[in-house]
C-alpha cells in the first residue's frame, strides 16, 4: 500500500506538507513514515512480487513505465486528478479498514498513546494484509484484461487501470526511496536552523519544518510514552521515528555482535558432497590417487623410529618411578672412615690440600651492632670512608651504633659480599707465602751487658788541655810514655801521658793533619803532616844520647845520598816532591827533614823499620800515595793510578804489604812483587780509617 | 756434546698452564670451564716468576697448575656438560619448530648430574669437609632467606631452608654452639664440631634485596656444590649421633611458620630396631613352622607399636628434656671435664624463656635451645609455641621495647643481648645492665683475642674481672709475668743441677749467710756465679736477680727506673746496630707495628675519654 501510490505521493506530500504544518498531522504522512520501516512487511511484499508470475511482472513493469512517461508528459495537468484519486483511494482504504482506519487516525494524532501503540502496529499490519489480500483477489478477477483489450480505447484503459491493483515495484525495503526524501545530502542540518524549512525534496520544493513542541512538552511526552526507548530522531527530516520490534531486535543483535538477520542460520547442516560413499554418479571422474589405497611409507618410517626408540629404552613412560634411585644423601665418607682408600685417591688428595683458601677474617668489636663508643668513627673518618673508592677502603663497613637490637636494619651489601667471596674463591690466584713469625727479641744478638765488660774507663782520668783548635790526630810513642797531638791551630804538642804535662810545642803554622811516631823502638822520630809538608822531627828532650844519635843518623843519611845525583830515577822529576833541609830555627826545634809536596798531606804512615814513610795527599790519581825512603831521601810512586778516593794508608806490620783504604774497599798490595794481594770488601759505605793488628792477621 | 735441550719442556713452564691453554686442552667453553673450576675447587695460582711460567712472555695471565687441568680431563662432569649442551640444542630446535610434544619429551629427559663424587674427592675425610664448611654454611643460610625472584631458583631456596634448619637442629642436639655475635652485617655463630670450629653468618631476617651487579649464575653454581656438601655433612652428623636422616617435616608446624619446630628429629636406633624386626618377620613367614611364625608375627606387630610409643617418648626426651641429659652427664666421676663442658653448653638448662614478638625468634630460638633452654614465643611470630605468655614456669622474658607494659612478677624481663652476652661469657650474667628501657652495655665480639699491648675495651675487662680470672685479660703485660716465672724456674733448674741443699738455702735466705765468714760467702758467691754462667745466665742478669731479692720490698724510684730504661734503650740501639740489614728490617718493622698498635690504643683511650665526657655533659 505504501508503494502503491508512489508516483502520486511525490506530488501529494509536497502539496500537503504546508497543510501538515498548519493543521494537525495527517494520517497518510504518519503512515508513510511508519509503514516502510517495517522490514518484514517489505520482505513479504517482495516475496509476493517474486511469487507472482514473471511474465506478468514484466508486463506490469512496462505498464508502469508507460504511466511514468505519461506522468512526465502530462506534468501538472494530471496532478489534480491524482490528488483526487489519492483522496479517493484513501477513502477507499479507510472504507475497507473500517474501524481500523479510525484507530490509525487516533494513533497518528497522538503518538504519545503508549498502550495502544503495539496493538496499533499489529493492527496496521493485519489491516494492510487484509487490503493486500483483497487487492490480490481483484487482480485475480481482472487478470484477463490487458492493454490489448483496450486497443483504441485509451480512456477506457485509463479508467480500467485505476481499478487495477497497485504494482509493487519491490522498492519497499529501500526506505530511502520511500521517504519524502530531504535532498540536502551531507549538509549539516544546523544550517537550516534559522529557516522554516529543513531542506528540499527531489523536486526542489521546500520541505517545511515539522512542528515540534518545546523541551518541556517533549519531556512530558517522553515520560508518558512507553515507546521512548524505540524512538529515534531522524535529524535530516526532523522527525521522531518509532522503531518496530523487528528493528529493535536487529539493533540488539548488532549490539550483541551476532548476525542481524534473525532468520539466518549460520550453522546449517553441511552437505557432504565429497564423502567416502561412492555415489551413483560421482562428481569427479578422476581415478583414485595411489596414496588413497597404499599405506604411507613415511608414516611407517616414523612409526618404526618410535618403535625402535621404545625398544631401546630411549622412550620411557615418564610416570614410571625410577626403581634404583638411591637416596639423595648417603654416607660418602664411609669408606674413608674405614681406611679403604686406594693409593691414587690418596695421592690426589695429598695434592689437593696444597693451598686451602684463606678463611674470612672474624669480626672485631667495631662490627658490633652496639660497639663501645671509642670504636665509632669520628665525622672526619666517616667522611673519609665515604669519599674513598670502595676498592681502597680498609674495611667494607662503617661502624655504627644502633643501640637496640630492634633497630638494626638488614645489611644491604650482604649478597654482594658473599658474591665477592665466591669470586675470590675461584678467580683469585693463590700463592703460598711462608712468613716466619720472627720475634724481634730473638733476632737481637746476645750482647754482653756493659757492666760485664768492666773495668773499662768509664770516667775521665786526665785531660790534656792546651790546643786551641780541633785536634786532628794523636800518636803514642813506642815506649808508651809520650803522646803527640796535632791540631788545627798549627801546633804539635808533646804530652807526658801520665801527668798530662805539655812537654813541648812545635808551632808549624799550618794545620797538622797527622802525627805519627816511627814504630822502630831504636829511634825516636816522628813525622808530622803540616799543610803540604811532611816534617820528620826528633824531639830532643825525650831520647837519650844513643837514641838521638841513631835517629839523627837515620834522618841525616838521606842528605848524603841525596848529594849524589841518581841517573836512573826518571820519575823523580815528575814526582811533586822536594826534600828540603829545614830552616835553622826549625832544626833547632828538632825538625830535621821536610818533604814538601804540592797538595795537603792528609795522612802519614811509617813502615815498621822506620826507614820508609808513606804519605797521602789530597791529590787525585796515582800521585796521591807516595812512599818515601828516609835514608836515601828518595820518593816513589807505587801506583800509576788508583781507583777511588784513598782514605787511608797503612804498612803491614810483618809482611811487605801495603794497605790502601778507598771509600768502599781495602786493597792489599805486595810491594816486593808489585801486585795486588787481596781486596777486602767490608760492605760499609765509608771507610775512614784502618788499622792492622800487630801480628798482622786482622784488619779493623 | 749432548742433545740440545728443547725449551719449555720442564720446570715452571710445565708446572703451570695458562687459562687459554687449559681451555684449548679441555675443549670446553669459558663458562663451562668456570663452572668446572668452581665445582672442582680448582683455583688460579701465582707462579713465582710469571715470565718463566708463561714461556718468556710477561703478559698478565691467569695460571693454573697443569696437573689440575690434567685431572679435569678425566672429569665426568665435562661429558655431562656436553650432554646438556646437546640437550639445549635439541630443545631449541623443537621449540623453533613448534614441536611441543617433542619439547615436552626432551624436557622430561633433561640430563641431570650429581656432584656426589666431588664431595669425597675434595674432602677425603669428614673432618676436611667440616673444616671447609664455613663458606658453604654462609651461602646456604643466605639463600634460605632469599626471596623468590627470577635470578634465584625457588627449589634451591627451599632446599637451603631445609638444609640450614637441619644443620641448626644438629647444633642444638649436640650442644656444639660456642660463640654468637650480633654484628651490623648479620649474626655470626661459631660451633665446634669434632674439634673444628665452624663460623657462619646469618643475615638478619629481612627480605634480601637482590642486587643487579651480582652474577647469580656464579652464585648458584657455588650453591649447587654447597648444597650437596651440606647435605652429606648433615647426613653424617645425624647418623653419627643416631638420628634419622632426613628428619621428617611436620607439615602442620611448617605451615604455621614454626621455624625450627617444623622438622621432627627422631632417634635412629629404635627405627633400626623396627626395621630389623620387620626383616626377621619376613624371614619367619618363609619358615616351615607357620604356627610359630604367626605367633611371632602377632608379637612383632604389637612390638612395633610399642616401640613406636617408645620412639615418641625418646624423641620428646631428646628435644625437650634436659634434666635427663644432665643426669647422664653427672653419673660418672671420670666425666668431670665432660660435665664442666656440659654445664657451659647447658647454660640455660634451668631457664624457661618467653620471646616477645619484637625479638628475632629465628636466632634466639636456635641459640637458647642450643644451650639447653626451653622457650615459648608470641603467637604472632609463629605457631607451635610450647609455652603461652602467662605460663607460670617462664623465668625470663626477652623483650626489646622501650617500655614493657604489663609485667609478670615471677619472671625477669631482659633485652635480647643478655642471652648472647651470657653465651659468650659462658655464664649467666647479671641482668641489671640488661633491663628493659636502658641502653645495654656494649656488645663485644667474642672472636677477638687480646695480645700483649692490645686495647681492651672496658666491657671486656669488666667481664673478665667479674669472671674471676683477671690475669688473662688485662692491660698488664702478660709476658712480664711469664718472664718472671721463667726466671724462677731458671733458679730452680740451677739448684737441681747442683743438687746441693746448701745452695738452695743460700738462695732462699740471705740472713743466714751474713753470719758466716766473709770468705765463705765470697766463695759461695763465686760458685753461684759459675753455676749461673754454666746455665747460660749472664752475669748482669744474675746480679739483677741477686739484687732484686733484697730490694723487692722497696718500690723502685721513678728516676732510677727511668735511668734503667735509658740504659736499656741504649743497649737496644747497640744491639740493633749489630744486626744484619735483613734482620734489622724485621726488627724495625715489628717495632713500627708495636708503635702503631700503641698509637691505636692511645686513640681508643682518648676517644673513650671524650665519649665519657660527652655522656657526662648530657647527663
Amino acid at each position: 500500500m505504501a508503494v502503491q501510490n508512489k508516483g502520486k505521493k511525490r506530488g501529494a506530500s509536497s502539496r500537503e506538507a504546508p497543510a501538515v504544518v498548519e493543521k494537525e498531522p495527517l494520517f497518510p504522512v504518519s503512515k508513510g513514515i511508519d509503514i516502510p520501516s517495517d522490514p518484514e512487511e517489505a520482505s513479504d511484499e517482495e516475496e509476493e512480487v517474486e511469487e507472482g508470475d514473471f511474465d506478468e511482472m514484466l508486463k506490469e513493469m512496462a505498464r508502469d513505465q508507460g504511466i511514468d512517461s505519461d506522468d512526465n508528459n502530462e506534468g501538472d495537468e494530471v496532478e489534480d486528478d491524482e490528488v483526487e484519486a489519492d483522496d479517493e483511494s484513501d477513502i477507499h482504504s479507510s472504507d475497507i479498514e473500517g474501524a481500523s482506519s479510525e484507530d490509525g487516525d487516533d494513533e497518528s494524532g497522538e503518538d504519545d498513546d503508549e498502550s495502544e501503540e503495539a496493538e496499533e502496529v499489529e493492527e496496521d499490519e493485519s489491516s494492510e494484509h487484509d487490503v493486500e489480500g483483497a487487492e490480490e483477489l481483484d487482480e485475480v478477477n481482472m487478470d484477463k484484461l490487458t492493454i490489448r483489450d483496450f486497443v483504441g480505447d485509451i480512456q477506457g484503459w485509463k479508467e480500467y487501470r485505476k481499478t487495477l491493483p497497485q504494482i509493487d515495484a519491490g522498492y519497499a525495503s529501500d526506505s530511502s526511496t520511500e521517504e519524502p526524501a530531504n535532498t540536502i545530502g551531507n549538509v549539516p542540518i544546523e544550517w537550516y536552523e534559522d529557516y522554516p524549512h529543513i531542506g528540499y525534496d527531489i523536486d526542489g520544493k521546500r520541505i517545511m519544518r515539522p512542528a515540534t513542541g518545546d523541551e518541556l512538552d517533549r519531556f512530558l511526552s517522553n515520560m508518558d510514552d512507553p515507546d521512548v526507548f524505540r524512538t529515534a530522531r531522524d535529524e535530516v527530516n526532523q522527525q521522531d521515528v518509532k522503531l518496530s520490534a523487528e528493528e529493535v531486535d536487529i539493533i540488539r543483535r548488532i549490539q550483541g555482535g551476532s548476525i542481524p538477520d534473525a532468520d539466518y542460520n549460520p550453522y546449517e547442516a553441511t552437505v557432504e558432497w565429497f564423502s567416502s560413499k561412492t555415489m551413483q554418479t560421482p562428481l569427479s571422474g578422476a581415478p583414485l590417487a595411489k596414496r588413497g589405497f597404499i599405506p604411507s611409507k613415511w608414516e611407517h618410517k616414523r612409526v618404526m623410529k618410535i618403535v625402535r626408540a621404545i625398544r631401546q629404552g630411549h622412550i620411557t613412560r615418564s610416570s614410571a618411578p625410577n626403581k634404583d634411585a638411591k637416596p639423595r644423601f648417603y654416607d660418602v665418607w664411609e669408606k674413608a672412615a674405614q681406611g679403604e682408600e686406594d693409593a691414587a685417591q690418596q695421592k690426589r688428595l695429598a695434592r689437593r690440600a696444597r693451598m686451602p683458601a684463606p678463611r674470612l677474617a672474624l669480626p672485631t668489636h667495631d662490627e658490633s651492632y652496639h660497639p663501645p663508643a671509642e670504636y665509632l668513627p669520628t665525622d672526619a673518618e666517616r667522611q673519609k670512608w665515604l669519599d674513598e673508592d670502595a676498592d681502597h677502603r680498609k674495611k667494607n663497613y662503617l661502624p655504627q651504633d644502633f643501640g637496640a637490637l630492634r633497630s638494626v636494619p638488614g645489611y644491604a651489601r650482604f649478597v654482594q659480599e658473599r658474591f665477592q667471596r665466591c669470586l675470590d674463591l675461584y678467580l683469585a690466584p693463590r700463592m703460598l707465602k711462608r712468613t716466619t713469625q720472627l720475634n724481634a727479641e730473638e733476632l737481637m744478638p746476645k750482647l754482653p751487658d756493659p757492666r760485664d765488660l768492666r773495668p773499662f774507663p768509664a770516667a775521665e782520668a786526665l785531660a790534656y788541655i792546651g790546643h786551641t783548635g780541633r785536634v786532628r790526630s794523636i800518636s803514642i810513642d813506642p815506649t808508651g810514655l809520650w803522646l803527640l797531638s796535632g791540631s788545627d791551630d798549627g801546633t804539635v804538642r808533646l804530652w807526658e801521658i801520665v801527668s798530662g804535662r805539655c812537654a813541648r810545642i812545635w808551632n808549624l803554622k799550618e794545620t797538622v793533619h797527622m802525627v805519627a811516631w816511627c814504630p822502630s823502638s831504636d829511634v825516636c822520630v816522628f813525622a808530622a803532616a803540616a799543610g803540604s809538608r811532611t816534617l820528620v822531627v826528633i824531639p830532643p828532650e825525650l831520647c837519650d844520647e844513643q837514641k838521638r844519635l841513631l835517629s839523627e843518623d837515620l834522618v841525616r843519611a838521606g842528605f848524603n845520598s841525596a848529594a849524589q845525583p841518581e841517573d836512573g830515577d826518571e820519575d823523580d822529576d815528575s814526582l811533586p816532591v822536594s826534600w828540603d833541609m829545614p830552616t835553622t830555627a826549625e832544626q833547632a826545634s828538632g825538625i830535621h827533614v821536610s818533604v814538601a809536596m804540592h797538595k795537603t798531606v792528609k795522612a802519614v804512615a811509617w813502615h815498621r823499620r822506620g826507614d820508609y814513610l808513606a804519605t797521602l795527599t789530597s791529590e787525585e790519581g796515582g800521585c796521591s800515595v807516595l812512599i818515601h825512603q828516609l835514608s836515601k831521601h828518595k820518593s816513589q810512586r807505587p801506583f800509576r793510578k788508583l781507583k777511588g778516593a784513598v782514605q787511608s794508608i797503612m804498612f803491614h806490620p810483618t809482611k811487605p804489604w801495603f794497605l790502601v783504604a778507598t771509600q768502599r774497599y781495602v786493597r792489599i798490595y805486595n810491594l816486593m812483587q808489585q801486585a795486588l794481594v787481596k781486596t777486602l770488601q767490608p760492605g760499609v759505605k765509608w771507610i775512614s780509617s784502618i788499622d792492622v793488628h800487630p801480628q798482622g792477621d786482622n784488619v779493623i | 756434546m749432548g742433545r740440545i735441550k728443547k725449551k719449555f719442556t720442564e720446570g715452571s713452564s710445565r708446572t703451570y698452564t695458562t687459562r687459554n691453554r687449559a681451555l684449548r686442552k679441555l675443549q670446553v667453553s669459558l663458562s663451562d670451564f668456570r663452572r668446572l673450576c668452581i665445582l672442582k675447587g680448582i683455583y688460579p695460582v701465582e707462579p713465582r716468576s710469571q715470565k718463566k711460567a708463561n714461556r718468556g712472555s710477561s703478559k698478565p695471565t691467569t695460571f693454573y697448575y697443569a696437573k689440575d687441568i690434567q685431572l679435569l680431563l678425566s672429569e665426568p662432569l665435562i661429558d655431562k656438560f656436553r650432554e646438556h649442551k646437546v640437550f639445549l640444542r635439541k630443545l631449541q630446535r623443537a621449540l623453533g619448530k613448534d614441536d611441543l610434544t617433542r619439547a615436552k619429551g626432551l624436557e622430561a629427559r633433561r640430563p641431570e648430574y650429581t656432584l656426589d663424587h666431588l664431595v669425597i674427592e675434595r674432602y677425603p675425610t669428614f673432618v676436611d669437609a667440616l673444616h671447609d664448611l664455613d663458606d658453604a654454611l654462609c651461602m646456604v643460610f643466605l639463600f634460605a632467606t632469599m626471596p623468590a625472584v627470577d635470578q634465584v631458583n625457588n627449589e634451591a631456596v627451599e632446599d637451603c631452608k631445609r638444609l640450614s634448619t637441619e644443620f641448626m637442629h644438629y647444633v642444638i642436639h649436640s650442644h656444639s654452639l660456642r660463640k654468637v655475635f650480633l654484628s651490623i652485617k648479620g649474626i655470626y655463630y661459631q660451633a665446634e664440631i669434632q674439634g673444628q670450629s665452624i663460623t657462619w653468618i646469618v643475615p638478619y631476617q629481612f627480605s634480601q634485596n637482590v642486587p643487579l651487579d651480582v652474577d647469580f649464575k656464579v652464585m648458584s653454581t657455588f650453591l649447587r656444590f654447597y648444597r650437596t656438601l651440606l647435605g652429606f655433612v648433615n647426613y653424617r652428623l645425624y647418623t653419627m649421633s643416631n638420628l634419622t636422616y632426613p628428619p621428617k617435616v611436620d607439615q602442620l608446624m611448617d605451615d604455621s611458620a614454626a621455624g625450627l619446630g617444623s622438622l621432627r628429629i627422631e632417634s635412629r636406633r629404635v627405627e633400626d630396631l623396627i626395621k630389623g624386626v620387620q626383616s626377621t618377620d619376613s624371614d619367619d613367614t618363609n619358615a616351615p613352622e607357620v604356627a610359630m611364625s604367626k605367633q611371632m608375627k602377632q608379637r612383632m606387630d604389637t612390638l612395633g607399636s610399642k616401640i613406636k610409643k617408645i620412639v615418641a617418648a625418646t624423641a620428646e626426651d631428646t628435644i625437650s628434656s634436659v634434666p635427663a641429659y644432665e643426669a647422664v652427664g653427672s653419673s660418672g666421676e671420670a666425666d668431670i671435664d665432660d660435665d664442666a663442658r656440659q654445664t657451659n653448653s647447658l647454660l640455660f638448662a634451668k631457664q624457661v624463656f618467653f620471646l616477645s614478638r619484637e625479638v628475632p625468634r629465628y636466632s634466639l630460638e636456635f641459640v637458647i635451645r642450643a644451650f639447653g633452654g626451653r622457650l615459648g614465643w608470641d603467637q604472632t611470630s609463629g605457631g607451635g609455641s610450647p609455652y603461652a605468655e602467662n605460663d607460670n614456669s617462664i623465668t625470663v622474658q626477652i623483650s626489646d621495647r622501650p617500655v614493657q607494659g604489663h609485667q609478670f612478677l615471677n619472671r625477669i624481663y631482659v633485652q635480647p643481648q643478655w642471652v648472647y652476652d651470657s653465651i659468650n661469657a659462658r655464664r649467666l650474667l647479671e641482668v641489671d645492665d640488661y633491663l628493659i628501657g636502658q641502653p645495654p652495655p656494649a656488645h663485644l665480639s667474642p672472636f677477638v683475642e687480646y695480645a700483649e699491648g692490645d686495647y681492651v675495651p672496658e666491657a671486656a675487662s669488666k667481664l673478665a674481672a667479674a669472671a674471676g680470672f683477671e690475669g688473662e685479660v688485662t692491660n698488664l703485660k702478660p709476658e712480664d709475668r711469664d718472664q718472671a716465672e721463667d726466671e724462677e724456674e731458671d733458679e730452680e733448674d740451677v739448684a737441681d743441677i747442683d743438687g746441693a741443699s746448701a745452695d738452695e738455702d743460700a738462695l732462699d735466705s740471705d740472713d743466714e749467710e751474713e753470719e758466716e765468714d766473709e770468705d765463705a760467702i765470697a766463695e759461695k758467691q763465686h760458685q753461684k756465679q759459675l753455676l749461673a754462667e754454666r746455665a747460660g745466665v749472664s752475669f748482669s742478669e744474675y746480679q739483677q736477680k741477686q739484687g732484686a731479692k733484697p730490694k723487692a720490698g722497696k718500690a723502685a724510684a721513678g728516676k732510677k727506673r727511668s735511668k734503667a730504661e735509658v740504659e736499656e734503650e741504649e743497649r737496644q740501639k747497640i744491639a740493633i746496630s749489630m744486626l744484619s740489614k735483613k734482620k734489622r728490617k724485621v726488627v724495625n718493622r715489628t717495632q713500627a707495628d708495636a708503635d702503631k698498635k700503641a698509637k691505636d690504643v692511645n686513640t681508643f683511650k682518648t676517644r673513650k675519654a671524650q665519649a665519657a665526657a660527652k655522656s657526662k655533659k648530657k647527663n
Side-chain angles (χ1 to χ4, degrees), chain A residues 302 314-316 318 326-334 336-337 341 345 348-349 351-378 381 394 396-423 425-432 438-441 443-452, chain B residues 34 38 40-46 65 68 71 109 116 119-126 129 131 134-135 138-139 142 146 159 181-185 188 197 199 201-204 206 208-209 211 213-216 218-219 222 226-229 231-233 235-236 245 360 400-402 416-417 420 440-445 447-448 450 455 457 539-540 567 571-572 574-576 578-579 583 586-587 590 604 607-608 611:
Chain A
R302 287 197 65 159
H314 293 320
I315 298 175
T316 49
S318 58
K326 55 183 176 181
R328 193 171 154 216
F329 298 119
Y330 49 93
D331 198 349
V332 272
W333 288 286
E334 203 170 15
E341 282 176 273
Q345 180 87 355
R348 196 183 298 168
L349 304 177
R351 191 194 56 78
R352 180 140 297 289
R354 250 192 320 219
M355 270 189 241
R359 287 183 163 193
L360 276 181
L362 288 169
T364 51
H365 294 320
D366 57 359
E367 208 183 305
S368 164
Y369 85 99
H370 180 45
E374 58 265 31
Y375 284 93
L376 292 172
T378 57
E381 278 175 342
K394 261 184 190 170
N396 54 8
Y397 59 91
L398 205 57
Q400 249 179 308
D401 187 1
F402 289 105
L405 192 56
R406 64 174 179 273
S407 48
V408 182
Y411 185 57
R413 291 193 52 79
F414 200 99
V415 182
Q416 274 103 326
E417 278 178 22
R418 290 322 310 169
F419 178 60
Q420 199 54 49
R421 171 69 175 167
C422 286
L423 289 187
L425 282 178
Y426 90 105
L427 283 183
R430 294 184 199 170
M431 190 181 194
L432 268 188
L438 280 175
N439 196 354
E441 295 194 356
L443 283 178
M444 293 293 200
K446 280 219 162 179
L447 284 185
D449 195 287
R451 278 167 286 182
D452 298 348
Chain B
R34 284 195 172 148
I38 290 169
K40 291 273 286 184
I42 287 170
Y43 45 83
V45 283
E46 185 102 352
Y65 276 128
D68 280 347
L71 266 179
R109 282 178 285 121
D116 302 2
V119 173
I120 185 73
E121 189 186 305
R122 284 178 69 168
Y123 307 109
T125 63
F126 183 53
H131 182 80
D134 286 9
D135 287 318
C138 289
M139 198 76 151
L142 166 64
M146 272 293 194
D159 196 32
F181 177 49
L182 301 167
S183 106
I184 52 174
K185 294 182 180 177
Y188 287 87
S197 53
T199 317
I201 179 170
V202 180
Y204 289 112
F206 295 100
Q208 288 290 334
N209 63 330
D213 56 342
V214 164
D215 185 0
F216 274 93
V218 172
M219 294 275 268
F222 268 102
Y226 287 153
R227 272 159 62 198
T228 317
L229 172 65
F232 282 115
V233 167
Y235 182 92
R236 186 150 174 92
Y245 189 89
D400 192 11
R401 39 185 97 173
Q417 197 191 317
Y420 297 103
H443 182 61
L444 296 177
S445 166
F447 304 111
V448 175
Y450 302 102
Y455 176 71
F539 179 71
S540 57
E567 235 168 58
R571 260 174 73 184
Q572 198 88 358
I574 294 167
I576 287 173
M578 295 285 290
L579 287 171
K583 282 182 179 173
V586 174
V587 170
T590 49
F604 275 136
R607 253 186 224 172
K608 200 191 154 203

Side-chain angles (χ1 to χ4, degrees), chain A residues 3-21:
Chain A
V3 188
Q4 71 193 147
N5 49 9
K6 190 181 175 196
K8 292 171 196 166
K9 234 186 197 169
R10 280 178 210 145
S13 64
S14 60
R15 228 177 296 130
E16 278 164 14
V20 169
V21 177

Side-chain angles (χ1 to χ4, degrees), chain A residues 22 114 239 267 310 362 454 461 468 516 544 569 594 617 633:
Chain A
E22 285 152 20
E114 290 170 15
Q239 283 162 345
Y267 307 109
I310 291 171
L362 288 169
R454 273 175 194 155
T468 53
D544 51 14
D569 205 350
S594 133
T617 59
H633 280 205

Side-chain angles (χ1 to χ4, degrees), chain A residues 133-434:
Chain A
E135 280 164 358
E136 266 177 78
L137 280 173
D138 283 352
E139 206 176 328
V140 170
N141 293 337
M142 298 175 204
D143 204 17
K144 276 129 194 176
L145 294 176
T146 59
I147 194 163
R148 280 166 205 153
D149 298 328
F150 294 93
V151 175
D153 182 12
I154 290 294
Q155 211 57 44
W157 162 247
K158 276 187 178 172
E159 285 305 311
Y160 174 69
R161 194 184 62 171
K162 279 177 187 168
T163 62
L164 284 177
Q166 294 291 322
I167 297 165
D168 188 353
Y171 303 132
S173 64
D174 193 356
S175 63
S176 65
T177 56
E178 174 59 30
E179 290 291 308
N182 195 348
T183 56
I184 58 170
N186 281 335
V187 173
I189 198 72
E190 293 91 64
W191 293 2
Y192 290 91
E193 269 174 0
D194 300 336
Y195 298 99
H197 61 282
I198 54 166
Y200 306 92
D201 63 5
I202 196 140
D203 298 327
K205 299 266 168 51
R206 288 179 175 178
I207 303 174
M208 301 315 287
R209 185 181 300 278
T212 48
D214 58 354
E215 285 293 318
L216 188 64
D217 289 344
R218 181 172 293 171
F219 174 72
L220 287 175
S221 65
N222 278 354
M223 289 305 287
D224 297 340
D225 189 3
D227 287 340
V228 176
F229 78 97
R230 58 163 67 181
T231 313
R233 179 80 182 163
D234 180 5
E235 284 293 336
V236 178
N237 292 314
Q238 293 286 303
Q239 283 162 345
D240 285 331
V241 181
K242 206 166 281 167
L243 302 179
S244 66
E246 287 74 19
E247 279 170 332
V248 171
D249 185 46
I250 286 172
I251 290 170
R252 285 215 180 106
R253 280 165 170 281
I254 290 171
Q255 278 177 339
S258 57
I259 295 160
D261 189 354
D263 295 336
Y264 179 73
N265 180 10
Y267 307 109
E268 274 183 43
T270 53
V271 180
E272 290 279 342
W273 296 115
F274 300 94
S275 66
S276 57
K277 282 171 192 161
T278 317
M279 289 176 168
Q280 202 75 35
T281 51
L283 289 171
S284 161
L288 197 60
K290 191 181 177 184
R291 63 170 178 274
F293 50 88
I294 288 184
S296 164
K297 182 186 174 187
W298 308 113
E299 274 178 13
H300 177 252
K301 275 195 159 182
R302 287 197 65 159
V303 169
M304 281 319 291
K305 211 174 173 183
I306 295 166
V307 168
R308 243 175 272 126
I310 291 171
R311 277 186 197 149
Q312 287 169 3
H314 293 320
I315 298 175
T316 49
R317 271 169 58 201
S318 58
S319 58
N322 194 357
K323 268 188 184 175
D324 48 74
K326 55 183 176 181
R328 193 171 154 216
F329 298 119
Y330 49 93
D331 198 349
V332 272
W333 288 286
E334 203 170 15
K335 270 189 188 175
Q338 291 161 7
E340 293 173 14
E341 282 176 273
D342 47 18
Q345 180 87 355
Q346 249 173 356
K347 210 174 165 188
R348 196 183 298 168
L349 304 177
R351 191 194 56 78
R352 180 140 297 289
R354 250 192 320 219
M355 270 189 241
R359 287 183 163 193
L360 276 181
L362 288 169
T364 51
H365 294 320
D366 57 359
E367 208 183 305
S368 164
Y369 85 99
H370 180 45
E374 58 265 31
Y375 284 93
L376 292 172
T378 57
D379 288 342
E381 278 175 342
R382 182 178 289 118
Q383 196 53 47
K384 194 186 157 207
W385 189 89
L386 289 173
D387 291 344
E388 252 176 345
D389 189 32
D391 296 339
H392 297 299
R393 284 169 186 163
K394 261 184 190 170
K395 281 173 179 171
N396 54 8
Y397 59 91
L398 205 57
Q400 249 179 308
D401 187 1
F402 289 105
L405 192 56
R406 64 174 179 273
S407 48
V408 182
Y411 185 57
R413 291 193 52 79
F414 200 99
V415 182
Q416 274 103 326
E417 278 178 22
R418 290 322 310 169
F419 178 60
Q420 199 54 49
R421 171 69 175 167
C422 286
L423 289 187
D424 286 350
L425 282 178
Y426 90 105
L427 283 183
R430 294 184 199 170
M431 190 181 194
L432 268 188
K433 274 194 175 171
R434 289 182 209 288

Side-chain angles (χ1 to χ4, degrees), chain A residues 460-486:
Chain A
E460 187 185 70
L462 268 177
Y464 304 92
I465 300 163
H467 278 299
T468 53
R470 187 187 294 167
V471 178
R472 289 268 181 182
S473 153
I474 56 167
S475 179
I476 296 169
D477 87 314
T479 57
L481 296 172
W482 300 96
L483 173 76
L484 269 177
S485 64

